Amino acid sequence: MIQNYIKIAWRNILKNRGYATINIVGLAIGLACCLLIVIYVQHELSYDKYHVNKDRIFRVVHDYKEVGSTEQHQIWGNAPIGEALKADFPEIEKIVQFSGQTSILLKQGENRFQEENVFFMDSTAFDVFSWKILAGNPHTALKNAYSVVLTESTAKKYFGDQNPIGKTIEGGLAAGRADAGLYTVTAVMADVPANSHFTFDALLSMSTFRKGRPDVFEKEGWDYVDFYTYFLTSKEFDPTKFNQKIPDFLKRHIQVHENASSKYGFHLEPMLQAYMHSTADRQPGTTGSFQNLYIFAIIGGFILLIACVNFMNLATSRSMERAKEVGVRKAIGANKSNLILQFMSESLVLVFIGGILAIALVIAFLPFMEAFSGKQFGYSTLLNGTTWTIFFLVTLITGILAASYPALILANFKPIKVLKGTFSNSKGGTLLRRGLVVFQFCLSIALIAGTVIVFSQLNQLQQQDLGFQKAQRLIIDYNFDEKVNNNLEAIKNTLAKDKDVQSVTASRTVPGAFFPNAGTEIMSTDGKMTNFAPSLYEVDIDFIPNMGIKMAAGRAYSRDFPADSAHSLVINESAAKLWGYSNPQDIIGKQFRQWGKEGTVIGVVKDFNYLSLHRKIEPLALRLEPSSSRYLTVNLQNVNQQTIDRMGKLWAELAPHRPFLYSFLDDNFNRQYEADYNFRRLFTAFSSLALFIACLGLLGLVTYTAQQRTKEIGVRKVLGASIYNLVLLLSSDFIRLLVIALCIATPLSWIAMNKWLDNFAYHIEPKWWMFAFAGFSAVLIALVTVSFQTFKAAKANPVDSLRDE
């Protein structure tokens, strides 16, 4: 019987190639999208799970509470907490600390590269993390000062196919610290897996850092921030009990001043939450978005549902063609279960073919998925047993769900009515099909509206007035080089002589790049010196005018005031409010103390978005300290390759020991939104596919409806109906259904997208026209789909349909 069922199923597919193709293609696209999203979700949820002791690794999250502001949490913190935790808590087996991400110029022979992704790391790193060592001893590789561990790709970049162990590589100053020298390669490790919450290209020994700055590791160094602290716990470790001991730990190690304006604390975070669930600032690497993951999972479900709805719609709408077959089978003894099994078998054959086509589509489009998402999956992902299990279950469940209702409908036909010719489609079946069409296009319209809102929000990011000028700013990164900083004014003046250069400035950071915080005391409104830790920009005298930053009160740094270099400070409006001054003019002339400098506040700049628009503008101090600079910002009148080439030649003359590393400020700043742009590309692609699948199903329904009403169309044409009247007649029912779908989809998509927009401190408000556009687009696309087939039916010769009995 099974063989007979499959044979009949195959004959029906060949007999109705058009409908079978629509069903198979729709299901294949739905299953392919679902599999691609499963691969993406699996990848996002797999971060850091390759570590052997992943469940026992925790990290310290530092908590800072300033008076009058919300509590801030960041991973970046002090060094002494590591040794203190290890000494006080026996349940902590290993502590590993590493510095903030470091940029360092490494040279080996003729090979010279500025490495941006480097950390100073404790020697216990390989006892805690499960990174694979290819050569060298993992337990001693980072023990001695001036030791370096290279990843496999970095080792090949400098040494080719040679064995680098024991060889030396020259390191320049890393972030301005006194750690230049010859580093000995003590180990080579495999490249860090892509599914790690932080990655690197080389590790320098923390003992090198200690040699340059021993003071920050002492008991008094709790205020110096430049380290990440992770630790491995015993198997009996209880995070709840540990958290209860933290207050006593802080009392033992930190002296709290009664008049302190800020409160320090910390809590633990499992490493497995670092990528997807951490909300703390100053992460050692990138973080994911669980909300976006959730959205993609929902979209995958939507697409699969739309494909299933297509299947059910087409199967039930064609039930009349199978009615006599069912009647005959029942009359000769077939029972209900036999018929259900037969029609389920036919449906599962279609699903099986669709599944094979889906796999082919995934193999073909996986590279595009990688490009869209910014992730590296590789074809090896398809060999994952979990992926195949999920795909098999999804395909099987899809086939059963999509086939069950049509099979039950067909199996319930009454043979007497069918064979007498008195059987007809029920009103319930018609209502069901209409309801499914509404459901399909409700999802499609919601996805279109979501796409419009995502595009609008990301366009807003591009067009938002940031409070500074980022266009045509060439950034030259010389990584705190002392020779450059010692000759800064001469270099600036030489670059400024170029015909396309309007101005040049130097600074430690630029908008969108890393910056530190600085403990700063300013006289508050009550006349007391109050300490906060605003963000810090160390700049030269030309920074504010070069960046086009406007003043809210007072003045910018000026060469006309020599005292500015030692006794003046400029802050932003948010910093003035932090110290209690709602009117920025009122803080001008107030006393300040910051990192060895004392003097008065001379100016307040208007707030500018030096952070991404995901976050509100935070308090900022702009300290005049050109000797701490890392970047030169060249304001260009014309940006072209000739200008860049001239800048490169000038740089080679001015700083021959430094590579010409340049970028543009707008590109650097927009890089903060890379994850958002990837989200937009994926959202748009999957939304388009959902709409395409819905239109496929609509095309099949319209084609079938037109065939069922062939004689009616013929009679109407004979009686004088125009092609326009007939197209309108056949299309109007579907358009009404789309209008209903629009009314349902609008509030649902409005609620969902408002939640997504909450991720941005500065975001658009969804407008009515966005939903109107989504509805109009869906109606237009559906109308084109419907009209093509209805026009074809309306144009047919009525004689052919009326003489056919």
Side-chain angles (χ1 to χ4, degrees), residues 476-496:
I476 301 174
D477 181 0
Y478 59 90
N479 199 32
F480 305 98
D481 189 279
E482 286 187 356
K483 291 182 181 178
V484 176
N485 278 334
N486 291 337
N487 197 30
L488 201 54
E489 283 302 312
I491 290 174
K492 285 173 56 181
N493 290 334
T494 303
L495 292 173

Side-chain angles (χ1 to χ4, degrees), residues 550-689:
K550 294 181 170 56
M551 301 301 299
R555 63 176 178 84
Y557 296 116
S558 171
R559 290 181 175 85
D560 296 333
F561 298 87
D564 281 357
S565 60
H567 303 293
S568 300
L569 183 67
V570 174
I571 60 175
N572 69 350
E573 291 175 297
S574 293
K577 291 174 184 175
L578 180 64
W579 269 277
Y581 297 93
S582 56
N583 181 1
Q585 186 64 45
D586 294 340
I587 203 172
I588 303 300
K590 301 301 180 185
Q591 295 294 311
F592 84 91
R593 287 194 291 267
Q594 183 193 70
W595 287 7
K597 279 189 178 185
E598 293 186 24
T600 58
V601 176
I602 63 166
V604 178
V605 298
K606 288 189 173 181
D607 279 344
F608 65 96
N609 294 95
Y610 61 95
L611 299 164
S612 88
L613 294 176
H614 281 280
R615 298 170 60 182
K616 291 184 178 179
I617 298 172
E618 295 179 1
L620 173 71
L622 294 98
R623 175 186 173 99
L624 187 59
E625 197 74 51
S627 61
S628 298
S629 296
R630 172 179 178 170
Y631 302 103
L632 283 169
T633 302
V634 184
N635 182 5
L636 296 176
Q637 186 173 355
N638 295 303
V639 178
N640 52 55
Q641 192 58 48
Q642 290 78 13
T643 304
I644 295 171
D645 291 342
R646 287 200 308 275
M647 292 293 104
K649 289 178 182 178
L650 277 174
W651 185 255
E653 296 172 5
L654 296 168
H657 62 292
R658 295 290 316 178
F660 179 58
L661 301 175
Y662 73 92
S663 59
F664 287 95
L665 182 57
D666 50 0
D667 292 337
N668 292 348
F669 194 83
N670 290 338
R671 203 166 289 127
Q672 297 176 101
Y673 308 119
E674 187 174 349
D676 298 310
Y677 294 134
N678 290 338
F679 174 78
R680 181 178 70 179
R681 285 192 288 269
L682 286 174
F683 194 98
T684 305
F686 286 123
S687 298
S688 301
L689 286 170

